[in-house]
Amino acid sequence: MDNSAKSRRSADLHTPSGLGQDAVRDISAAANALLADVFALYLKTKNFHWHMSGAHFRDYHLLLDEQAAQIFAMTDDLAERVRKLGGSTIRSIGDISHKQRIKDNDAEFVHPHEMLAELRDDNGSLVASMRALHDLCDEHRDVATASLLENWIDEGERRRWFLFETLRQTN
């Protein structure tokens, strides 16, 4: 193997972004934690979608499928944004499990209303994390990442609102 091929393989994945090293480090770390939470929430939403039961099965099943698709749609843009900044992003399920803050739910059975309440709260936590990352982006003048977050915050608020209203109807 020639030296140029060897050096290319060992080269950093650093991509010049125009942001300082502190900004790249801080925003990448926060974005990767957010990405881990997005994957955790996606899988939890699909889990509850798959295991939904009861009188409102069809409505809840379809609601959660729609929400899961919206959550999953964030993953590629968020991971690629980290790379555009010059950071590296998550690499595995194990990496996600170390970074995620949204708790898994591996229970054998969860009542449908408990599912919706848990997802309502988790979407609220995700929105709070996105707002915190937005503040960090503002601090480092990263308008591109902040711009992505603004639409996702709105979508997360909508998901939380729908879950809140669905639960209010059933109490």
Side-chain angles (χ1 to χ4, degrees):
M1 176 186 305
D2 67 41
N3 284 337
S4 63
K6 191 180 222 176
S7 66
R8 279 194 308 269
R9 264 202 287 172
S10 64
D12 286 342
L13 291 174
H14 179 73
T15 303
S17 67
L19 295 174
Q21 288 179 344
D22 291 345
V24 171
R25 180 195 64 234
D26 296 347
I27 295 169
S28 293
N32 279 321
L34 178 64
L35 182 57
D37 285 343
V38 168
F39 273 115
L41 182 57
Y42 166 73
L43 193 55
K44 182 186 282 187
T45 304
K46 288 303 279 189
N47 170 29
F48 290 168
H49 160 80
W50 295 323
H51 294 98
M52 185 54 68
S53 63
H56 299 283
F57 167 79
R58 185 178 191 284
D59 292 336
Y60 296 169
H61 183 77
L62 294 174
L63 173 67
L64 297 184
D65 198 36
E66 176 186 305
Q67 290 194 357
Q70 187 179 71
I71 294 164
F72 186 75
M74 297 168 53
T75 60
D76 196 49
D77 288 339
L78 187 53
E80 287 181 358
R81 185 67 201 147
V82 171
R83 290 291 298 122
K84 288 180 212 174
L85 291 172
S88 61
T89 193
I90 58 175
R91 291 183 163 79
S92 66
I93 298 294
D95 200 10
I96 290 168
S97 72
H98 289 106
K99 290 177 173 61
Q100 78 183 72
R101 297 159 294 190
I102 290 180
K103 303 291 183 215
D104 295 331
N105 186 325
D106 297 326
E108 186 75 23
F109 176 79
V110 181
H111 187 277
H113 297 160
E114 292 171 5
M115 290 179 181
L116 299 179
E118 191 170 329
L119 291 173
R120 176 200 60 211
D121 294 346
D122 288 343
N123 275 282
S125 295
L126 190 71
V127 167
S129 294
M130 287 189 280
R131 284 192 177 113
L133 177 53
H134 192 287
D135 290 345
L136 183 63
C137 291
D138 288 347
E139 183 182 316
H140 288 292
R141 300 175 35 112
D142 178 7
V143 296
T145 305
S147 177
L148 284 173
L149 291 165
E150 289 166 2
N151 289 328
W152 295 336
I153 290 168
D154 183 58
E155 290 173 356
E157 290 172 338
R158 183 176 190 266
R159 287 189 305 272
R160 188 169 194 272
W161 171 44
F162 273 47
L163 292 163
F164 171 81
E165 290 297 339
T166 299
L167 285 166
R168 182 182 0 216
Q169 304 278 333
T170 61
N171 291 335

